[in-house]
Amino acid sequence: MMDLDGRTLLVRGTNWLGDTVMNLPAIRELRRHHPTARLVMVVRPTLRDFFRWIPEVDEVIPYQVNAGSARWKEVRRMGRELRHRRPDAFLCLQNAFEAALLARLSGARERIGFALDGRKWLLTKHFRVPLELNRYHQLYYYLYLLQQAGLSTVDYLHDPDFRPDVTIRRDPAMRILAQEWFERLHIPAEEPVIGFHTGAFYGTAKHWLPERYAELIRRLREAYHPHILLFGAPGERDAATTLLGDMRDERVHNLCGETAVDELVALMAHCHLFISNDSGPMHVAAALQVPQIAIFGSTDPVATGPFSKHAVIVKKPVECSPCFQRQCPIDLRCFKAITVDEIFRLIQDILYKEYSPDTE
């Protein structure tokens, strides 16, 4: 196994929140096998605060991916900055050519990644993606890379005793941060809170119908009088406002674009239930072990489903799904087959199972 005792390992993380959550088992395995290594994540600035809750990481370096000619200028600048840290190894969890170029510019002796995007010549250890990985959850993709590179001795695909650790552990600081938000939103500590993420960055083929989300929220308000928190990125705020329509009351809160990622995690940790499409916040809810309903359309829950025993996945077996399209070219039949009644009944079942004093 590669010796990183007391040495620096740079890890180029993935660019999206959901993928970053799925990186966690690999990050934890790196720490377990290399307890004295200095583990440094290189990630988008928007993801930096996520690692506030991940104690296995020693340092986080924000790296903005620019467009056009400024992009390569920033790669060179970041390469110089990383070289000053004298890294011994650079692990590319991101598959872009740019990640391997950054590894080369960092001066790391060992540069590790999958042989994709024409970048083999930039890496000292490069590997093909085996077809076998298609049968596994995406988090095994990153674990497999560790094994192949000699960063771990575990055969992750075949060891029957291995259990990936995707958990985001509850931290007392999460409670303090969430309480600050709840006071601002006038949410008493004892009242029920249900979180939603009704979008997904990849495209509308991953979005359950907005009018059905709206009807579901109306029915929940009438039946349980919960506080509703809508999470999302700044670009999703207008869509969430349209979805809510005339639901203007003190119990419905559109937080799209309002929270940093560490605040998002803290607030979601204190939701009693979370409902979403296949998205980054879905994976956060799973990592926090929050009871959740994950609604799937164009994607495959075998590969990217919530990795949690508290998750209920809803997906219909229509002939064209999973298609992995950004936009549905026909009629969104995969989502039209999922009714408000079905989701509402699941919510009733989950709330009873998780919170009824009559159940164990």
Side-chain angles (χ1 to χ4, degrees), residues 6 29 37 53 61 84 92 110 117 130 139-141 159 161 190 196 205 215 270-271 279 293 296 298 308 327 348 360:
E29 285 296 284
W53 311 122
I61 300 174
H84 290 316
C92 300
E110 296 286 3
D117 205 23
L139 61 83
Y140 282 93
Y141 182 93
D159 185 341
D161 298 321
E190 69 277 5
F196 280 84
E215 177 60 25
H270 291 83
C271 287
S279 68
I293 296 173
F296 274 71
S298 64
S308 167
Q327 311 295 330
Q348 291 176 310
E360 296 182 358

Side-chain angles (χ1 to χ4, degrees), residues 175-238:
R175 179 174 294 278
I176 295 170
L177 190 55
Q179 187 58 41
E180 290 173 355
W181 268 96
F182 285 166
E183 289 176 0
R184 197 180 315 165
L185 298 171
H186 306 291
I187 300 177
E190 69 277 5
E191 294 196 355
V193 177
I194 299 179
F196 280 84
H197 182 226
T198 61
F201 180 84
Y202 185 76
T204 57
K206 291 176 73 174
H207 298 189
W208 192 43
L209 307 178
E211 61 272 19
R212 296 191 183 180
Y213 268 121
E215 177 60 25
L216 181 63
I217 291 171
R218 291 189 188 95
R219 291 179 64 172
L220 285 171
R221 290 165 70 214
E222 292 172 2
Y224 297 104
H225 308 288
H227 286 269
I228 302 291
L229 304 183
L230 264 70
F231 298 105
E236 296 175 306
R237 185 169 182 83
D238 288 346

Side-chain angles (χ1 to χ4, degrees), residues 128-352:
R128 292 183 178 181
V129 181
L131 291 176
E132 183 182 10
L133 270 175
N134 292 334
R135 304 200 306 267
Y136 290 82
H137 194 280
Q138 187 174 317
L139 61 83
Y140 282 93
Y141 182 93
Y142 309 110
L143 290 165
Y144 175 82
L145 183 58
L146 265 58
Q147 177 208 351
Q148 293 297 301
L151 290 165
S152 169
T153 57
V154 179
D155 184 352
Y156 294 109
L157 301 189
H158 306 110
D159 185 341
D161 298 321
F162 176 74
R163 298 292 182 271
D165 184 359
V166 197
T167 307
I168 299 175
R169 294 170 178 83
R170 306 298 177 101
D171 186 299
M174 283 186 191
R175 179 174 294 278
I176 295 170
L177 190 55
Q179 187 58 41
E180 290 173 355
W181 268 96
F182 285 166
E183 289 176 0
R184 197 180 315 165
L185 298 171
H186 306 291
I187 300 177
E190 69 277 5
E191 294 196 355
V193 177
I194 299 179
F196 280 84
H197 182 226
T198 61
F201 180 84
Y202 185 76
T204 57
K206 291 176 73 174
H207 298 189
W208 192 43
L209 307 178
E211 61 272 19
R212 296 191 183 180
Y213 268 121
E215 177 60 25
L216 181 63
I217 291 171
R218 291 189 188 95
R219 291 179 64 172
L220 285 171
R221 290 165 70 214
E222 292 172 2
Y224 297 104
H225 308 288
H227 286 269
I228 302 291
L229 304 183
L230 264 70
F231 298 105
E236 296 175 306
R237 185 169 182 83
D238 288 346
T241 299
T242 301
L243 182 151
L244 292 174
D246 60 357
M247 285 186 272
R248 305 281 190 260
D249 68 40
E250 61 184 12
R251 289 177 173 268
V252 179
H253 312 276
N254 182 356
L255 301 184
C256 293
E258 298 293 322
T259 62
V261 174
D262 60 334
E263 296 173 315
L264 169 76
V265 173
L267 285 168
M268 289 180 61
H270 291 83
C271 287
H272 295 86
L273 176 66
F274 187 75
I275 303 162
S276 72
N277 307 312
D278 175 14
S279 68
M282 177 200 75
H283 290 288
V284 172
L288 290 165
Q289 298 298 306
V290 173
Q292 70 180 131
I293 296 173
I295 305 173
F296 274 71
S298 64
T299 50
D300 181 6
V302 172
T304 60
F307 208 82
S308 167
K309 65 181 181 180
H310 295 279
V312 175
I313 296 170
V314 181
K315 181 173 177 60
K316 298 301 181 183
V318 298
E319 67 280 3
C320 54
S321 179
C323 66
F324 304 104
Q325 302 264 12
R326 288 181 179 270
Q327 311 295 330
C328 178
I330 46 176
D331 57 0
L332 276 175
R333 62 190 61 179
C334 56
F335 279 136
K336 288 181 179 179
I338 300 171
T339 67
V340 175
D341 284 343
E342 178 181 2
I343 302 300
F344 188 73
R345 284 194 298 270
L346 285 173
I347 290 170
Q348 291 176 310
D349 292 343
I350 290 171
L351 293 178
Y352 178 79

